[in-house]
Amino acid sequence: MQKLLNIPKQHLIIFTRYPEPGKTKTRLIPALGEVGAADLQKQMTEHTILQVQELQKISAINVEVRFAGGNWELMQNWLGVGFVYQTQGEGDLGERMMRSLVDAFSNNAEQVIIIGTDCPGLNSHILASALEKLKVCDLVLGPALDGGYYLIGLRRVVPELFSQISWGTAKVFQETIEIAQKLNLLSGYLPSLADVDRPEDLPVWEQIFCR
């Protein structure tokens, strides 16, 4: 059988939510209102997509959008036909990320990166750096200033990294590191970035959007 060539082994998964007022960025509703919070979700996702498209210019990488809310048709009409779309499904964040990783590696991916859309400072250069680090590291993490992480990259499924984690708290990054150390995973780290979840975080987005 002829060997297949030039099939991308790098896979990028974007976790986001369809920007429906009242159901997205709810912690920002007191400051922005339901429509304003949904509009911010829309803008931040589109900003992330632009960075990913810049990465695609220099890297042969599969891109998948894992979404909550909306449906396949709404997502495709919003972000275009150039991506694979899948629902995030049920469960906590760890279970949903695990499911996406298992699917990617079962489809012959060799490096998988998961990102969200909450960190405006995440750009194509950081994404490219993550891929470079994955060539030698078992795990790559992008720490968020709130104690979580905005990016996780792996070369295989490591279920322990996604269970017994205090999702949504300031402990996520530290707990993940501690598990990685116990498993003797060679870990690489990216620059720390601020995310936008609460009203006091809005200047982080304004610095990017108002340039």
Side-chain angles (χ1 to χ4, degrees):
M1 182 182 293
Q2 184 179 5
K3 185 177 180 181
L4 296 175
L5 300 176
N6 299 322
I7 298 176
K9 298 297 185 182
Q10 297 173 320
H11 194 83
L12 175 66
I13 302 169
I14 305 168
F15 267 61
T16 192
R17 173 176 285 277
Y18 186 74
E20 183 178 352
K23 295 188 176 180
T24 182
K25 287 292 178 195
T26 54
R27 286 180 286 187
L28 289 172
I29 289 174
L32 300 177
E34 292 186 355
V35 173
D39 191 49
L40 180 65
Q41 166 72 13
K42 179 176 182 290
Q43 293 173 8
M44 289 179 63
T45 298
E46 291 170 358
H47 173 75
T48 303
I49 291 289
L50 284 174
Q51 299 307 312
V52 170
Q53 289 172 331
E54 286 297 309
L55 177 70
Q56 287 181 299
K57 294 177 182 178
I58 59 172
S59 175
I61 187 167
N62 289 314
V63 178
E64 173 185 351
V65 177
R66 290 261 169 168
F67 65 92
N71 57 45
W72 182 87
E73 184 178 8
L74 287 170
M75 292 299 298
Q76 191 176 65
N77 288 342
W78 172 29
L79 298 177
V81 297
F83 308 110
V84 174
Y85 294 93
Q86 291 277 4
T87 60
Q88 292 181 19
E90 300 300 321
D92 66 20
L93 179 59
E95 292 169 318
R96 287 178 277 139
M97 287 198 291
M98 258 296 295
R99 188 181 302 122
S100 70
L101 283 166
V102 169
D103 290 348
F105 283 114
S106 66
N107 281 307
N108 299 318
E110 293 178 357
Q111 298 176 346
V112 181
I113 288 173
I114 300 175
I115 61 172
T117 60
D118 292 339
C119 283
L122 178 59
N123 57 40
S124 59
H125 302 293
I126 294 174
L127 292 172
S129 176
L131 292 173
E132 277 299 310
K133 290 179 185 295
L134 266 185
K135 291 179 179 179
V136 294
C137 295
D138 304 308
L139 167 69
V140 174
L141 287 171
L145 294 179
D146 66 358
Y149 57 76
Y150 62 84
L151 179 152
I152 183 168
L154 288 163
R155 295 195 292 183
R156 60 182 173 86
V157 177
V158 185
E160 294 90 341
L161 295 173
F162 302 96
S163 61
Q164 310 303 315
I165 300 289
S166 306
W167 301 111
T169 74
K171 300 178 180 178
V172 171
F173 181 72
Q174 187 59 40
E175 289 176 350
T176 303
I177 291 176
E178 289 170 359
I179 293 169
Q181 290 172 341
K182 289 177 183 176
L183 297 173
N184 293 316
L185 299 179
L186 180 59
S187 301
Y189 302 101
L190 299 166
S192 296
L193 296 178
D195 57 12
V196 179
D197 280 324
R198 298 175 175 84
E200 57 266 32
D201 302 328
L202 287 172
V204 175
W205 171 246
E206 290 161 2
Q207 287 174 1
I208 299 289
F209 191 65
C210 298
R211 281 177 181 171

